[in-house]
Amino acid sequence: DTGVSQDPRHKITKRGQNVTFRCDPISEHNRLYWYRQTLGQGPEFLTYFQNEAQLEKSRLLSDRFSAERPKGSFSTLEIQRTEQGDSAMYLCASSGQITGEGNTIYFGEGSWLTVV
Amino acid sequence: AQKVTQAQTEISVVEKEDVTLDCVYETRDTTYYLFWYKQPPSGELVFLIRRNSFDEQNEISGRYSWNFQKSTSSFNFTITASQVVDSAVYFCALRIGGTSYGKLTFGQGTILTVHP
């Protein structure tokens, strides 16, 4: 399977604990995105990487959230001191160059987070 | 700012009926891209179609067809002869050109249930 892969698919954690999600984009894609989706809502943009550079962050991304893409390949999204409001599905997506087919953004299956 | 409105929260049809999902968008940019994604219960957002703002030609792909009308800022999606496997949440999304870095703005989604 050469699509976007995310790990873990599901995570249940206690409030206050830290969690980390990993995303492996489609191999030739240099652009990587994180989105968050809560029940009954469409996905909301969190952050964007072009290669290893984090070029944009949403105001939704509080100080407890940090994303990295150290070698321009896989990415991690860490949430520190989780709160119940962090419960959501975290979606990773990737795309190629901005022109032509690169305009299409492909999503992974998401990582469900439940904070209890 | 960009906005996407999917006025239909839920649609229920019987198999073999035709169904149209509405999407209205708002943007001041002249270059933009419109998308439809399908989200089955597994959670993955499955790409269906991308349309450029300068290409109003409608498209048909099997039982799926899309009607893009810039005059009404609409990008509607029709499923002909619906099947149970079409049951999912469908999202319309907008991305502007230029330095948007590929950030997508999603609608709230339409839950489609096709009954046998």
Side-chain angles (χ1 to χ4, degrees), chain A:
Chain A
D1 185 10
T2 57
V4 179
S5 63
Q6 294 187 242
D7 182 71
R9 292 293 318 281
H10 297 89
K11 179 74 176 178
I12 299 175
T13 189
K14 292 183 178 179
R15 188 176 52 186
Q17 298 294 305
N18 299 341
V19 297
T20 300
F21 299 112
R22 176 182 169 123
C23 170
D24 288 273
I26 293 171
S27 59
E28 63 269 25
H29 285 177
N30 63 337
R31 289 170 167 78
L32 186 147
Y33 314 82
W34 285 98
Y35 284 77
R36 181 171 69 185
Q37 184 180 17
T38 53
L39 282 176
Q41 302 294 318
E44 295 174 293
F45 171 80
L46 291 179
T47 190
Y48 159 77
F49 289 87
Q50 184 170 318
N51 298 313
E52 65 275 9
Q54 189 174 18
L55 297 184
E56 188 172 355
K57 293 196 294 185
S58 162
R59 285 174 293 177
L60 293 175
L61 215 63
S62 75
D63 292 344
R64 297 183 297 105
F65 288 71
S66 63
E68 294 182 346
R69 195 183 182 197
K71 297 183 180 179
S73 56
F74 73 91
S75 175
T76 58
L77 176 68
E78 181 183 18
I79 308 174
Q80 295 181 326
R81 305 181 304 282
T82 52
E83 302 173 355
Q84 287 187 324
D86 297 332
S87 296
M89 180 164 69
Y90 292 86
L91 287 157
C92 179
S94 70
S95 68
Q97 293 301 321
I98 210 71
T99 56
E101 186 56 33
N103 280 307
T104 298
I105 298 174
Y106 296 92
F107 284 82
E109 292 182 307
S111 292
W112 285 98
L113 172 65
T114 301
V115 181
V116 297

Side-chain angles (χ1 to χ4, degrees), chain B residues 72-92:
Chain B
T72 55
S73 298
S74 65
F75 186 43
N76 297 336
F77 173 31
T78 296
I79 302 175
T80 302
S82 59
Q83 300 176 1
V84 173
V85 293
D86 295 328
S87 296
V89 184
Y90 290 85
F91 290 97
C92 180

